[in-house]
Amino acid sequence: MNLESIINTAWEARTEISTKTTGEVRDAVNAVLAQLDAGTLRVAEKKNGAWDVNQWVKQAILLSFRLNDNALITGMDMHGQSAAWFDKVPLKFNGWGEEQFRQAGFRAVPGCFVRRGSFIDKNVVLMPSFINIGAYVGVGTMVDTWVTIGS
């Protein structure tokens, strides 16, 4: 399956794509999202000292919003309270246990929200933050978007 070709063709016909779309297009989009999640594919890459966007990968993410309906997502907010969201992108850690976190090799503190389809490398520390689909967080990075008034 040539993912780039399938995604480019689907993008041109995107008005015809919906939650009812099945087959090759859905399979290709899901394959792209899985590769983003695993870190084997990137939305943008540094080439010759400049950032180059892989448009077809970006388009696959956008097509996923047409393919997937909103669903209830439950969990805890950054204050440890039960919370619910209604979104098209599931959280990356949904269904993870201790073993998956140990294998992943990064630290995720309460209050970090990571969408599936993003990559978190080894030795990363995720403080309270939001990591969007398509993100690539490289080895040894600390992500902290908590801002205190007056700091």
Side-chain angles (χ1 to χ4, degrees):
M1 173 171 31
N2 182 342
L3 295 177
E4 184 173 359
S5 175
I6 295 166
I7 297 300
N8 284 331
T9 301
W11 183 253
E12 294 304 315
R14 65 188 172 274
T15 58
E16 300 168 25
I17 294 174
S18 73
T19 56
K20 294 180 177 145
T21 301
T22 60
E24 183 178 66
V25 171
R26 183 174 290 276
D27 292 345
V29 168
N30 286 338
V32 170
L33 296 180
Q35 288 182 35
L36 287 168
D37 200 73
T40 58
L41 187 62
R42 293 183 69 168
V43 176
E45 301 175 86
K46 204 163 201 177
K47 295 179 181 175
N48 301 320
W51 285 99
D52 183 48
V53 175
N54 293 315
Q55 289 295 331
W56 69 276
V57 176
K58 180 176 143 184
Q59 291 165 346
I61 292 170
L62 295 172
L63 288 170
S64 77
F65 291 110
R66 289 183 166 275
L67 289 167
N68 299 309
D69 199 1
N70 285 317
L72 183 64
I73 300 171
T74 58
M76 302 289 245
D77 68 14
M78 64 178 37
H79 304 291
Q81 303 297 314
S82 293
W85 299 268
F86 196 56
D87 194 17
K88 295 175 181 253
V89 182
L91 297 176
K92 183 176 185 81
F93 309 142
N94 188 32
W96 279 32
E98 183 176 341
E99 187 55 34
Q100 285 92 345
F101 280 104
R102 290 198 181 278
Q103 287 177 1
F106 57 78
R107 183 174 157 215
V109 307
C112 70
F113 298 93
V114 182
R115 286 173 127 187
R116 189 169 295 149
S118 60
F119 176 71
I120 314 298
D121 211 337
K122 303 280 186 200
N123 298 318
V124 165
V125 177
L126 298 173
M127 300 302 285
S129 54
F130 179 83
I131 309 297
N132 206 354
I133 185 172
Y136 185 102
V137 181
V139 66
T141 301
M142 175 184 268
V143 178
D144 185 359
T145 58
W146 189 268
V147 178
T148 304
I149 304 228
S151 62

